[in-house]
Amino acid sequence: MNDLELFVKQMQATNSNIEVLDCYFWGYTIPQISKEFDLLRFGKNNIVNIELKSENTGVKIYKQLIKNYYYLDFLKKEINCYTYVSSENKLYGLDRDKMLCTVSFGELYGILNNQKVIAIDDIDKLFKPSNYLVSPFNSTDEFMGSKYFLTSRQDEIKQDCINRIEKKGTTFISICGKAGTGKSLLTFDIAKEFMVRKQKILIIHCGMLNEGHHKLNNDYGWNIIAVKSMRPNDFSAYDLIIIDECQRIYPSQLENVINQIKAIKSNCIFSYDNQQCLRQWEINNDISKLILDKTSSVFFELTEKIRTNKEIASFIIALFNKSKTIEKFVRQNVELSYFDSAKDAKKFIKLLGGYGWKIINYTPSNRDTHPYDEYKILYENNAHEVIGQEFDKVVAVIDHSYVYNGNNLDVKYSKSPYYHPVKMLFQIMTRTRIKLHVVVINNEEILARCTSILDYD
């Protein structure tokens, strides 16, 4: 507030026209990605952004203005970004070549005075989170073009990882994060950074390779293999081994990799989410404990969700555990439909697919048939095939077999399923970035829980 007061006084000293001090958004944050702007003023043809600082932070000023320009540029208007440093009473901005330069207060006043200010009823509608939430797998070209920024926490972890790996000797690093925290983006960004430095990287993905993996391999020369394709390898040709979705690897495979890396004094990053296990044996293996026991791994954890809407995240939490407090959100991004029969539900799910919703099937068992086979949509991905991916709008189906076991969501099957449906449902729901459509089939208990969560009146 002190910086703002000094800035206002300086602008008044430049010119007494009070109109240039009106119509600002103060401290606005873009939903989901926590990107904050000190001052924003929207015009018909341009946007003015002014950051306020007490002290000159050097190169950080430049980096912040570049980031701000990137986030605002999606609005397709002329962007004017500035930083006011109160201790110096100076104004900095970006020139035509996007380089940092000093700017006169008269120049800023001229831009503000000529700006044709427009009324913004709901600023959130201007910023579409999917423009900024780049995925290595679903936005591969944008990822390779570095059309994204890491959060401060991601960047902090990245720099620490790079510093440790560049030292001589063996380095083991664990990057852990729940769905939506940006774990995959950070892990693959680190790999890309070392590839830029001409280092040789091998990524072992503990699941099926998706289209993004193949695109990185075929179009950009990456070396990503599925863990099932891993044979006794000589890892000495690589500077860094990354094991992605490590929670799904067999202990024997993991120990083999660890022993080889120790033998050649190389480096390894384990990237995983303990909650994204789809079979009971994966849970029982407790890979995170095995990593801790077998290596002196440096542990980093991502906790802030940057992909999933808070309203959707809170809905999922309350659905899977009835003891959780229902947070009061206006959940306009969670839709709910109910059907008495799987046959009718399947018709509706197909209809949603035609409207651009991503349909994700439960992974079928090779041994038995299960209720979810009744509404499987042909040629759509299953829960295993979308591991690590994200989509704007996702359909999730809950059938009659779901029950609450105490407070926890469970299923009632005649025999134990090969892949756990509750874990697959969690995997499916957490793939969404913007909207979630829940289809409930012949299950009034789950319907009642969903409506109670959505009842925000």
Side-chain angles (χ1 to χ4, degrees), residues 366-392:
N366 293 326
R367 303 175 181 177
D368 306 292
T369 59
H370 295 300
Y372 53 73
D373 294 321
E374 294 185 58
Y375 46 85
K376 174 185 176 181
I377 307 299
L378 292 178
Y379 309 115
E380 296 290 348
N381 296 123
N382 61 47
H384 282 71
E385 292 170 336
V386 298
I387 290 174
Q389 297 189 69
E390 53 194 46
F391 309 92
D392 286 350

Side-chain angles (χ1 to χ4, degrees), residues 209-221:
L209 296 191
N210 58 48
E211 290 182 10
H213 289 130
H214 292 301
K215 188 174 182 65
L216 287 170
N217 282 341
N218 298 331
D219 295 355
Y220 294 102

